[in-house]
Amino acid sequence: MVSKERVAQQQKQQMKKLLESALMALGFFILFGIIIVPGLREGLGSALGVVLDPLADAVGVDHFLITILILAVITGIYTTVVQKYTMNWELMAKSKEYQKQIRELQKELMEAKRTNNKTLMKKLEKKKEEIMRKQTQFSGEMFRQQMKPMAYIGIITIPIFMWIWRYVDITVISSVIFPLMGEKELAARFVLGLPYWVFWYMICSIPIAQVIRKAIGLQSGI
């Protein structure tokens, strides 16, 4: 009986890992595919238009900023939930604790060097090396923990971005007045060549994400 339960548990874990790998592969394909695969950006935007075009029409073309705000809320919720349930927060906390210990040791080392306390310096250096060795042992898993939610998030967020990009390009949208910037076209280029709708999306998404993170009790920072 115990053996059957163990086999079932192992099979469940294998299926979970297989599903995670498939989703990560899909996420990274979308992430890099829009750069290297011709037409993928337009294809993603057109496919998502089946769902989002009616939303934009319902809100109104002249109120497209509200549509972007709605999408910022959706992606904010999705992103936060993905981060909460796909990351090993105990591992992240342990990494932060090691970083804190190293910073404290650095201060103690500086004080030991100032007083030329060679015995203490040797002791602190040995302790620092031990902490860094422990941190290095799970650095690979830390990297995986950071990349996994990025891939999952890309599955939803990137197609939404591609839809906005396509919609703004093919639709006549009135100019928008931004505070301190004046009247701007949403498709016009801003910093680093990014269009103004990306600027508006960032204005919406950053505070929304913070509110959602706090609401579901997600730790700040990744």
Side-chain angles (χ1 to χ4, degrees), residues 25-145:
L26 176 60
F28 283 119
F29 169 75
I30 294 173
L31 181 63
F32 295 106
I34 60 173
I35 300 174
I36 62 178
V37 179
L40 181 59
R41 188 178 80 180
E42 291 77 9
L44 288 172
S46 298
L48 205 58
V50 175
V51 177
L52 296 185
D53 283 354
L55 171 64
D57 293 340
V59 174
V61 176
D62 292 336
H63 301 95
F64 191 66
L65 292 185
I66 297 178
T67 300
I68 296 178
L69 173 61
I70 293 171
L71 295 177
V73 173
I74 293 172
T75 55
I77 294 173
Y78 171 74
T79 297
T80 307
V81 170
V82 166
Q83 290 174 345
K84 181 176 178 65
Y85 292 105
T86 62
M87 296 186 67
N88 186 334
W89 291 101
E90 291 183 3
L91 188 67
M92 303 298 289
K94 186 181 293 186
S95 176
K96 289 183 179 180
E97 180 60 28
Y98 282 146
Q99 292 172 6
K100 181 181 178 182
Q101 291 179 17
I102 291 174
R103 287 195 299 268
E104 292 175 351
L105 282 172
Q106 290 282 24
K107 293 180 181 179
E108 294 179 20
L109 270 170
M110 291 179 63
E111 181 62 23
K113 289 178 181 179
R114 189 182 67 82
T115 58
N116 198 29
N117 190 334
K118 294 182 178 180
T119 302
L120 181 59
M121 286 170 59
K122 187 176 180 180
K123 181 180 178 181
L124 292 173
E125 285 286 359
K126 186 176 180 180
K127 187 175 180 181
K128 180 182 176 182
E129 290 176 2
E130 178 64 18
I131 293 174
M132 293 184 70
R133 182 185 65 80
K134 291 180 179 179
Q135 189 178 30
T136 303
Q137 288 177 347
F138 62 84
S139 59
E141 179 61 21
M142 278 288 299
F143 178 75
R144 184 174 180 274
Q145 288 295 319

Side-chain angles (χ1 to χ4, degrees), residues 143-154:
F143 178 75
R144 184 174 180 274
Q145 288 295 319
Q146 293 171 337
M147 296 301 291
K148 184 165 64 173
M150 183 185 298
Y152 293 165
I153 290 166

